[in-house]
Amino acid sequence: MYLHYLRQRIPSILQRTKVNKVGSGTGFKANHRVCLGRNVSCKVVDEYPLTKTEALSYVEDVLGISDCQKLLAEDPLSFVNLLTVQTKARIPFTNIVLFTREGVYHPNTDETKELMLSRQGGNCWIFNIFTEAVLRRLGLQTYLAPSSYFRFGGARMIARSAIIIKDLVQPGTLHLVDPGTSMPMFNAVPLDIKESSPAHVECGFRFKYFKAGIGVIQVCRMTSLAELGNLRSPVSFHFSDGHFWSVIFTYNINESRSPSYFAQVSKNVRADPAGQFIHNELQLVGFPGGEMVNINSEKGIITDKSGNTTCIPITNSDTLVELVKKFFPCVSIAALNSSLEYFRKSPK
């Protein structure tokens, strides 16, 4: 019925879009361990160099969560949500740690740990393999699942990672956690989704989670018909509650993969022409104080909790440095300047 509606009302859009298309991203054909989520016991490859003492120190000293073990014991869901909020508030999602004046940088797991402990941040791989290890060291049953990113209006999907937590609320439950993204995704999401979740609204960003197949969940943002009509390349979307919801992330929640797998995927992405947008422009995104701060080489955009935005033009390097110091005082200015040299030479 819905497809009939589309064919009658918006044929030009239908020709360029894919309704409810399920994708698994690039680079997902390598050997991996399959995990059937809640149905079986998943043996996780534990290879991240993090001790329980280091995990506790990170949560209490870096994220500022006191009495974390007590909170975890009394209310695991609230603990995970608070950890996600504090992670996104205190550590920036950024690419500056991956691109230097010497070229593309591929940190190993020890180096990714230092990037998180020193609040330098990184991409989804750095955030999520570290956070998954922290949660596991604190006693939660977790695993890393493959995910993919369809850049809105972009050419195709880019591989990434996400965290699945088993038995968080009660035996048999699954929750999705994804701190390694520029989106305002602050809460652990229950994965017993029949068709779609209620709408989430954070910093003016409205999004929903959809079940797109067995073991496949997609997070989608509400998109206007005009936006869909202006796209030059295909985009997957759902129609729900009278609105279009374009797919951003696809999660394969019944699969488990190791940190070393995602390390290789991350290298592939940085070499992939489809991911050119990742390495031709500076990106710094975080949520200090609950508002969204998005800085690139041309402007800083601050979006408050209600969705009101303020744009700050960046006219020179000094303006950029001062803006970064204001909102992300933890970021190394030496690393910032090094990455700027890389981006100035990068093809646009």
Side-chain angles (χ1 to χ4, degrees):
M1 183 175 180
Y2 170 53
L3 284 176
H4 175 74
Y5 165 79
L6 284 176
R7 292 189 181 102
Q8 294 295 318
R9 299 293 298 276
I10 47 173
S12 62
I13 292 178
L14 186 61
Q15 291 174 3
R16 299 200 304 276
T17 58
K18 303 174 183 179
V19 182
N20 298 349
K21 182 177 183 297
V22 177
S24 58
T26 60
F28 283 171
K29 294 183 179 181
N31 292 331
H32 63 276
R33 181 183 298 277
V34 175
C35 168
L36 299 179
R38 61 173 66 84
N39 298 321
V40 298
S41 175
C42 176
K43 184 179 180 181
V44 176
V45 178
D46 189 350
E47 58 185 32
Y48 200 84
L50 185 75
T51 66
K52 183 176 180 179
T53 299
E54 289 173 321
L56 285 170
S57 176
Y58 167 75
V59 173
E60 294 176 350
D61 300 332
V62 178
L63 299 186
I65 302 175
S66 58
D67 297 323
C68 66
Q69 289 182 293
K70 179 182 178 182
L71 177 58
L72 176 58
E74 294 176 348
D75 191 344
L77 178 60
S78 293
F79 169 78
V80 170
N81 288 342
L82 179 58
L83 181 141
T84 305
V85 168
Q86 290 296 93
T87 300
K88 296 178 78 67
R90 296 192 171 209
I91 304 176
F93 180 82
T94 182
N95 58 2
I96 70 170
V97 299
L98 303 175
F99 304 103
T100 72
R101 61 174 59 90
E102 288 81 21
V104 180
Y105 174 52
H106 300 291
N108 59 36
T109 49
D110 286 293
E111 291 166 330
T112 63
K113 181 175 76 171
E114 290 306 313
L115 287 171
M116 293 297 289
L117 292 175
S118 62
R119 297 175 60 192
Q120 298 308 300
N123 61 359
C124 72
W125 168 60
I126 293 172
F127 266 85
N128 288 343
I129 65 168
F130 176 83
T131 303
E132 189 268 341
V134 168
L135 295 173
R136 188 156 25 86
R137 293 292 182 271
L138 297 181
L140 294 175
Q141 295 189 58
T142 61
Y143 60 91
L144 290 164
S147 172
S148 54
Y149 168 45
F150 195 101
R151 192 189 188 204
F152 190 65
R156 60 189 175 92
M157 291 186 177
I158 302 298
R160 56 186 307 278
S161 63
I163 304 167
I164 306 297
I165 307 177
K166 299 179 64 176
D167 306 332
L168 181 63
V169 175
Q170 61 186 33
T173 60
L174 288 180
H175 284 74
L176 167 71
V177 181
D178 193 354
T181 168
S182 60
M183 283 180 57
M185 297 165 59
F186 299 128
N187 296 318
V189 179
L191 296 178
D192 56 346
I193 298 170
K194 303 303 181 184
E195 293 184 359
S196 67
S197 72
H200 298 251
V201 183
E202 301 285 356
C203 299
F205 192 95
R206 187 179 296 269
F207 56 99
K208 294 181 70 168
Y209 296 82
F210 289 84
K211 184 175 182 179
I214 298 175
V216 179
I217 299 294
Q218 294 180 321
V219 62
C220 310
R221 77 174 183 90
M222 194 170 76
T223 307
S224 70
L225 188 60
E227 286 180 291
L228 288 174
N230 288 333
L231 294 179
R232 295 183 179 180
S233 57
V235 63
S236 300
F237 66 86
H238 297 262
F239 188 80
S240 175
D241 302 330
H243 298 287
F244 295 96
W245 303 84
S246 59
V247 175
I248 300 177
F249 300 139
T250 296
Y251 300 97
N252 299 85
I253 64 173
N254 287 350
E255 299 178 16
S256 170
R257 305 203 179 167
S258 67
S260 59
Y261 167 82
F262 287 109
Q264 185 57 52
V265 166
S266 185
K267 290 182 181 179
N268 294 345
V269 168
R270 291 196 287 278
D272 190 338
Q276 187 67 33
F277 66 94
I278 295 172
H279 45 80
N280 64 8
E281 185 178 65
L282 175 143
Q283 182 185 38
L284 266 167
V285 183
F287 298 85
E291 62 182 8
M292 181 176 183
V293 179
N294 189 341
I295 299 175
N296 60 35
S297 56
E298 297 180 351
K299 59 189 174 183
I301 300 175
I302 294 86
T303 306
D304 66 21
K305 296 178 182 179
S306 300
N308 302 307
T309 62
T310 301
C311 183
I312 303 173
I314 295 175
T315 55
N316 52 51
S317 297
D318 291 339
T319 305
L320 173 60
V321 168
E322 290 306 310
L323 200 60
V324 171
K325 284 182 177 179
K326 177 180 179 180
F327 290 104
F328 303 107
C330 54
V331 168
S332 164
I333 300 304
L336 173 66
N337 289 329
S338 180
S339 69
L340 286 175
E341 289 190 32
Y342 175 91
F343 293 127
R344 290 189 188 105
K345 297 181 291 186
S346 179
K348 305 301 182 190

